[in-house]
Amino acid sequence: MARFVCPSDRGELRIYENLDEVATELADYIADLSEVSVKERGFFAIALSGGSLISLMGKLCEAPYNKTVDWAKWYIFWADERVVAKNHADSNYKLAKDCLLSKVPVIPSHVYSINDSMSAEEAANEYEFVLRQLVKTRTVGVSEISDCPKFDLILLGMGPDGHVASLFPNHMALDEKDEWVAAKQKHYTQQLMTWDPIALCCLPGWFSRATATWCGFWTR
Ligand SMILES: O=C(O)[C@H](O)[C@@H](O)[C@H](O)[C@H](O)COP(=O)(O)O
């Protein structure tokens, strides 16, 4: 049970005793949201990131979720990805595939990983093009205030400096207004480039942060 809950009109912060409690709460949260989205829209469009969050999703591979969740209605996207091959140890796609997607009956054609056979800029453009088609058909919802995609859920971890996905504090990518998907360099390495849907601003989100002293999440 959460030992601290702080509700506000901008969301809710919950802090738990341990990661196992967070994982259980996360699995319940995702399963409930998936059920509601499938009932209301016929689909569940979820965007993942990398980091420790993905292993927290592991409970979804277990009973009852592996049987009760309507996996065939899931459409899976990435909030950020690294410019590496899909089978590279740093790939967020590989992480999700190994920890979750290969263990539940999602439909392979509903898994929208980033194309690793082209340049970062080309892959970002292609990803945006595909997203635009899926927003047109309403497989992915659309924001009420702009034409931006509105995923049913975006799951993000938060780095120690407060970064989410590949959006770092004060990074110029935060000023991007037009593109939905951008290729850019992470400031701490020359090798990794990442994509960030600008749609992060219109999300139902779930942020997790675990440190030596606390672990919890924030929802909106
Ligand atoms: O590709 C990535 O690295 C992630 O998308 C990144 O944004 C991650 O979520 C945070 O760095 C938190 O990571 P941890 O949960 O592992 O601390």
Side-chain angles (χ1 to χ4, degrees):
M1 199 152 88
R3 69 178 158 88
F4 176 73
V5 180
C6 174
S8 85
D9 57 354
R10 302 188 62 189
E12 190 172 275
L13 173 69
R14 290 172 175 242
I15 296 182
Y16 291 84
E17 294 295 336
N18 55 56
L19 284 176
D20 196 55
E21 285 189 4
V22 179
T24 303
E25 191 76 6
L26 176 60
D28 282 342
Y29 182 78
I30 297 174
D32 289 350
L33 209 53
S34 162
E35 193 181 332
V36 170
S37 301
V38 171
K39 227 175 248 163
E40 284 177 359
R41 303 197 315 108
F43 308 107
F44 180 54
I46 179 171
L48 307 175
S49 50
S52 59
L53 180 86
I54 301 300
S55 58
L56 279 180
M57 294 175 77
K59 286 222 188 290
L60 287 170
C61 311
E62 300 168 11
Y65 313 103
N66 55 352
K67 298 276 186 296
T68 53
V69 168
D70 195 350
W71 298 104
K73 302 287 170 31
W74 277 42
Y75 284 73
I76 297 137
F77 303 87
W78 272 265
D80 77 317
E81 180 56 288
R82 289 99 178 266
V83 182
V84 290
K86 283 182 197 167
N87 59 3
H88 191 282
D90 288 341
S91 160
N92 286 346
Y93 163 77
K94 177 174 163 39
L95 182 67
K97 186 176 166 227
D98 292 350
C99 294
L100 175 71
L101 304 178
S102 60
K103 298 177 179 172
V104 291
V106 289
I107 296 179
S109 62
H110 293 181
V111 178
Y112 289 88
S113 59
I114 283 143
N115 194 329
D116 61 353
S117 66
M118 43 177 67
S119 74
E121 287 74 17
E122 285 168 340
N125 290 341
E126 185 189 83
Y127 208 69
E128 179 166 330
F129 178 80
V130 170
L131 260 183
R132 286 190 184 276
Q133 305 309 306
L134 292 166
V135 167
K136 257 188 209 152
T137 58
R138 295 295 185 266
T139 307
V140 175
V142 65
S143 158
E144 294 83 17
I145 50 169
S146 68
D147 69 339
C148 277
K150 182 176 176 184
F151 295 98
D152 297 307
L153 177 63
I154 300 185
L155 291 171
L156 300 163
M158 186 181 287
D161 57 1
H163 79 262
V164 291
S166 297
L167 298 171
F168 286 83
N170 304 321
H171 195 283
M172 62 190 185
L174 291 169
D175 297 329
E176 177 56 58
K177 297 273 185 295
D178 301 321
E179 291 182 333
W180 288 3
V181 185
K184 64 181 183 60
Q185 212 155 359
K186 264 190 173 175
H187 62 69
Y188 59 79
T189 167
Q190 293 302 307
Q191 272 115 29
L192 303 185
M193 302 274 286
T194 55
W195 289 263
D196 292 300
I198 299 311
L200 288 182
C201 60
C202 62
L203 53 92
W206 195 101
F207 296 81
S208 76
R209 177 83 202 121
T211 70
T213 48
W214 67 279
C215 47
F217 68 83
W218 180 81
T219 59
R220 57 169 286 211

